[in-house]
Amino acid sequence: MRIKRIRARLVKKCSLCGKKFDMWDEEENFCFRHRFGYGSKYDCYQLDLKFCCKCFDSLMDELVPRCKINPLPDPYEEMAAYAEDMPNLE
């Protein structure tokens, strides 16, 4: 008799709204894991956040304006600076 192992597929759920991840949430994979060290009141805890696309956007809409340093630099600005550094190949 053979014993067959069956692995249950882990179903991810959004930490904020509890929604099961759909295809787009899985694709974007807004998951953050961090173990806190000393210097925080959360010493030795592990943060494990998973967000659906809608909750991630909502969280970013609240978080970004509170930041003194913009955590979302313009990606097109970075590409333009990179292109200026490239030699002219004509």
Side-chain angles (χ1 to χ4, degrees):
M1 176 159 90
R2 291 181 86 176
I3 297 174
K4 187 175 182 180
R5 283 189 174 174
I6 299 173
R7 290 187 191 179
R9 184 169 176 235
L10 192 63
V11 176
K12 288 183 188 171
K13 291 184 181 179
C14 179
S15 297
L16 287 179
C17 71
K19 172 190 151 197
K20 289 182 184 178
F21 275 27
D22 62 20
M23 178 185 73
W24 297 110
D25 301 323
E26 286 285 347
E27 180 71 28
E28 290 302 324
N29 196 30
F30 296 121
C31 299
F32 305 95
R33 179 174 271 188
H34 180 75
R35 182 168 304 280
F36 295 100
Y38 298 110
S40 167
K41 67 180 183 179
Y42 299 103
D43 289 352
C44 299
Y45 282 87
Q46 180 167 308
L47 178 70
D48 189 10
L49 294 171
K50 299 173 190 77
F51 299 114
C52 67
C53 294
K54 183 178 177 184
C55 287
F56 180 78
D57 286 345
S58 176
L59 181 67
M60 293 299 288
D61 289 344
E62 290 181 36
L63 180 65
V64 171
R66 295 178 62 186
C67 294
K68 299 279 186 204
I69 298 170
N70 184 3
L72 293 173
D74 185 354
Y76 299 106
E77 195 173 288
E78 285 183 20
M79 286 191 291
Y82 178 75
E84 287 174 7
D85 290 341
M86 296 294 291
N88 189 352
L89 301 176
E90 291 180 35

PDB file of all heavy atoms in Angstrom, residues 3 5 18 29 33 35 38 47 55 62 75 90:
ATOM      1  N   ILE A   3       1.362   5.327   0.434  1.00  0.00           N
ATOM      2  CA  ILE A   3       0.781   6.481   1.109  1.00  0.00           C
ATOM      3  C   ILE A   3       1.095   7.712   0.271  1.00  0.00           C
ATOM      4  O   ILE A   3       2.251   7.960  -0.071  1.00  0.00           O
ATOM      5  CB  ILE A   3       1.351   6.646   2.523  1.00  0.00           C
ATOM      6  CG1 ILE A   3       0.986   5.428   3.360  1.00  0.00           C
ATOM      7  CG2 ILE A   3       0.823   7.926   3.160  1.00  0.00           C
ATOM      8  CD1 ILE A   3       1.622   5.424   4.722  1.00  0.00           C
ATOM      9  N   ARG A   5       1.110  11.717  -0.174  1.00  0.00           N
ATOM     10  CA  ARG A   5       1.082  12.974   0.569  1.00  0.00           C
ATOM     11  C   ARG A   5       0.253  13.995  -0.195  1.00  0.00           C
ATOM     12  O   ARG A   5       0.433  14.178  -1.398  1.00  0.00           O
ATOM     13  CB  ARG A   5       2.480  13.541   0.753  1.00  0.00           C
ATOM     14  CG  ARG A   5       3.262  12.858   1.792  1.00  0.00           C
ATOM     15  CD  ARG A   5       4.513  13.624   2.031  1.00  0.00           C
ATOM     16  NE  ARG A   5       5.219  13.028   3.148  1.00  0.00           N
ATOM     17  CZ  ARG A   5       6.402  13.384   3.548  1.00  0.00           C
ATOM     18  NH1 ARG A   5       7.046  14.328   2.909  1.00  0.00           N
ATOM     19  NH2 ARG A   5       6.968  12.806   4.563  1.00  0.00           N
ATOM     20  N   GLY A  18      -9.912  40.723   5.412  1.00  0.00           N
ATOM     21  CA  GLY A  18     -10.188  39.295   5.550  1.00  0.00           C
ATOM     22  C   GLY A  18     -10.574  38.596   4.256  1.00  0.00           C
ATOM     23  O   GLY A  18     -10.846  37.398   4.248  1.00  0.00           O
ATOM     24  N   ASN A  29       0.933  40.361  -4.738  1.00  0.00           N
ATOM     25  CA  ASN A  29       1.606  39.815  -3.556  1.00  0.00           C
ATOM     26  C   ASN A  29       2.101  40.899  -2.595  1.00  0.00           C
ATOM     27  O   ASN A  29       3.285  40.987  -2.284  1.00  0.00           O
ATOM     28  CB  ASN A  29       2.761  38.909  -3.984  1.00  0.00           C
ATOM     29  CG  ASN A  29       3.231  38.022  -2.850  1.00  0.00           C
ATOM     30  OD1 ASN A  29       2.455  37.651  -1.981  1.00  0.00           O
ATOM     31  ND2 ASN A  29       4.503  37.685  -2.851  1.00  0.00           N
ATOM     32  N   ARG A  33       6.797  40.807   5.767  1.00  0.00           N
ATOM     33  CA  ARG A  33       7.148  40.023   6.949  1.00  0.00           C
ATOM     34  C   ARG A  33       8.426  40.623   7.540  1.00  0.00           C
ATOM     35  O   ARG A  33       9.392  40.868   6.828  1.00  0.00           O
ATOM     36  CB  ARG A  33       7.378  38.572   6.560  1.00  0.00           C
ATOM     37  CG  ARG A  33       7.769  37.699   7.741  1.00  0.00           C
ATOM     38  CD  ARG A  33       7.840  36.280   7.334  1.00  0.00           C
ATOM     39  NE  ARG A  33       6.491  35.762   7.541  1.00  0.00           N
ATOM     40  CZ  ARG A  33       6.175  34.494   7.439  1.00  0.00           C
ATOM     41  NH1 ARG A  33       7.084  33.617   7.100  1.00  0.00           N
ATOM     42  NH2 ARG A  33       4.958  34.088   7.648  1.00  0.00           N
ATOM     43  N   ARG A  35      10.724  40.568  11.443  1.00  0.00           N
ATOM     44  CA  ARG A  35      10.885  40.240  12.860  1.00  0.00           C
ATOM     45  C   ARG A  35      11.550  41.439  13.526  1.00  0.00           C
ATOM     46  O   ARG A  35      12.603  41.897  13.096  1.00  0.00           O
ATOM     47  CB  ARG A  35      11.755  39.001  13.062  1.00  0.00           C
ATOM     48  CG  ARG A  35      11.879  38.643  14.549  1.00  0.00           C
ATOM     49  CD  ARG A  35      12.486  37.289  14.788  1.00  0.00           C
ATOM     50  NE  ARG A  35      11.805  36.191  14.146  1.00  0.00           N
ATOM     51  CZ  ARG A  35      10.690  35.600  14.601  1.00  0.00           C
ATOM     52  NH1 ARG A  35      10.126  36.014  15.701  1.00  0.00           N
ATOM     53  NH2 ARG A  35      10.158  34.590  13.944  1.00  0.00           N
ATOM     54  N   TYR A  38      15.590  44.670  18.953  1.00  0.00           N
ATOM     55  CA  TYR A  38      15.554  45.576  20.100  1.00  0.00           C
ATOM     56  C   TYR A  38      15.312  47.012  19.642  1.00  0.00           C
ATOM     57  O   TYR A  38      15.598  47.367  18.516  1.00  0.00           O
ATOM     58  CB  TYR A  38      16.864  45.466  20.886  1.00  0.00           C
ATOM     59  CG  TYR A  38      17.078  44.085  21.433  1.00  0.00           C
ATOM     60  CD1 TYR A  38      18.071  43.258  20.928  1.00  0.00           C
ATOM     61  CD2 TYR A  38      16.255  43.598  22.442  1.00  0.00           C
ATOM     62  CE1 TYR A  38      18.256  41.985  21.423  1.00  0.00           C
ATOM     63  CE2 TYR A  38      16.429  42.323  22.943  1.00  0.00           C
ATOM     64  CZ  TYR A  38      17.432  41.523  22.427  1.00  0.00           C
ATOM     65  OH  TYR A  38      17.594  40.265  22.922  1.00  0.00           O
ATOM     66  N   LEU A  47       6.019  40.527  12.449  1.00  0.00           N
ATOM     67  CA  LEU A  47       4.931  41.155  11.714  1.00  0.00           C
ATOM     68  C   LEU A  47       4.703  40.358  10.439  1.00  0.00           C
ATOM     69  O   LEU A  47       5.647  40.054   9.715  1.00  0.00           O
ATOM     70  CB  LEU A  47       5.308  42.596  11.373  1.00  0.00           C
ATOM     71  CG  LEU A  47       4.304  43.408  10.563  1.00  0.00           C
ATOM     72  CD1 LEU A  47       3.087  43.714  11.427  1.00  0.00           C
ATOM     73  CD2 LEU A  47       4.951  44.699  10.093  1.00  0.00           C
ATOM     74  N   CYS A  55      -7.068  47.113  -0.320  1.00  0.00           N
ATOM     75  CA  CYS A  55      -6.596  47.544   1.006  1.00  0.00           C
ATOM     76  C   CYS A  55      -5.200  48.141   0.931  1.00  0.00           C
ATOM     77  O   CYS A  55      -4.884  49.088   1.653  1.00  0.00           O
ATOM     78  CB  CYS A  55      -6.644  46.383   1.994  1.00  0.00           C
ATOM     79  SG  CYS A  55      -8.330  45.956   2.507  1.00  0.00           S
ATOM     80  N   GLU A  62      -3.293  56.607   2.901  1.00  0.00           N
ATOM     81  CA  GLU A  62      -3.172  57.169   4.251  1.00  0.00           C
ATOM     82  C   GLU A  62      -1.714  57.387   4.648  1.00  0.00           C
ATOM     83  O   GLU A  62      -1.379  58.383   5.287  1.00  0.00           O
ATOM     84  CB  GLU A  62      -3.818  56.228   5.273  1.00  0.00           C
ATOM     85  CG  GLU A  62      -5.316  56.168   5.192  1.00  0.00           C
ATOM     86  CD  GLU A  62      -5.900  55.244   6.242  1.00  0.00           C
ATOM     87  OE1 GLU A  62      -5.355  55.207   7.368  1.00  0.00           O
ATOM     88  OE2 GLU A  62      -6.876  54.556   5.931  1.00  0.00           O
ATOM     89  N   PRO A  75       8.959  57.078 -10.915  1.00  0.00           N
ATOM     90  CA  PRO A  75       9.794  56.115 -11.667  1.00  0.00           C
ATOM     91  C   PRO A  75      10.247  56.666 -13.010  1.00  0.00           C
ATOM     92  O   PRO A  75      11.308  56.309 -13.500  1.00  0.00           O
ATOM     93  CB  PRO A  75       8.884  54.903 -11.840  1.00  0.00           C
ATOM     94  CG  PRO A  75       7.498  55.427 -11.685  1.00  0.00           C
ATOM     95  CD  PRO A  75       7.585  56.604 -10.761  1.00  0.00           C
ATOM     96  N   GLU A  90      24.348  56.771 -31.412  1.00  0.00           N
ATOM     97  CA  GLU A  90      24.080  57.060 -32.835  1.00  0.00           C
ATOM     98  C   GLU A  90      25.340  57.207 -33.627  1.00  0.00           C
ATOM     99  O   GLU A  90      26.372  57.509 -33.260  1.00  0.00           O
ATOM    100  CB  GLU A  90      23.248  58.340 -32.949  1.00  0.00           C
ATOM    101  CG  GLU A  90      21.853  58.142 -32.421  1.00  0.00           C
ATOM    102  CD  GLU A  90      21.050  59.422 -32.547  1.00  0.00           C
ATOM    103  OE1 GLU A  90      21.245  60.166 -33.519  1.00  0.00           O
ATOM    104  OE2 GLU A  90      20.245  59.670 -31.662  1.00  0.00           O
TER     105      GLU A  90
END
